[in-house]
Amino acid sequence: MTKKVKKDLEDFEWTAAELKASKKINSLPKSLQQKIASRKTRGAQVAPTKISTTIRLSSEVVQSFKATGAGWQSKIDFALKQWLEEHTLV
């Protein structure tokens, strides 16, 4: 899915006519109901490589990385890894 399509989906709003014409999930075939139901939750990662944490950064740092676009948090991770390779922690 491209970013443009994803953006369009995030901004999508149902009209009253679309809501009225929509089908209820229990009116769909059982196989489709099961497929939709299985998408509701995401399983645990097999081998988690990252840890969720909270960190306070200066607004300049966050704005600079956000300005680079999608994946800005991964770019911060990469920058920190590079820093660790170049410096010794005591």
Side-chain angles (χ1 to χ4, degrees):
M1 181 181 291
T2 66
K3 288 181 177 101
K4 182 174 182 357
V5 172
K6 185 176 181 182
K7 177 76 171 136
D8 290 344
L9 290 175
E10 289 172 1
D11 295 337
F12 180 79
E13 289 188 34
W14 289 70
T15 65
E18 289 171 326
L19 282 172
K20 188 174 182 177
S22 66
K23 293 184 178 190
K24 305 297 181 219
I25 192 165
N26 56 358
S27 70
L28 299 173
K30 290 288 181 195
S31 60
L32 185 55
Q33 289 181 38
Q34 290 171 345
K35 188 171 186 175
I36 292 170
S38 69
R39 291 181 154 183
K40 289 182 181 178
T41 59
R42 180 178 170 185
Q45 292 181 345
V46 175
T49 58
K50 295 185 178 180
I51 299 170
S52 178
T53 187
T54 301
I55 183 171
R56 295 176 64 84
L57 301 171
S58 68
S59 60
E60 297 87 5
V61 169
V62 174
Q63 288 172 0
S64 295
F65 277 93
K66 277 188 172 182
T68 66
W72 63 272
Q73 292 166 317
S74 295
K75 292 171 187 168
I76 291 174
D77 182 58
F78 181 76
L80 289 170
K81 285 179 185 177
Q82 280 186 317
W83 188 91
L84 285 172
E85 287 176 5
E86 297 169 5
H87 298 82
T88 303
L89 295 178
V90 179

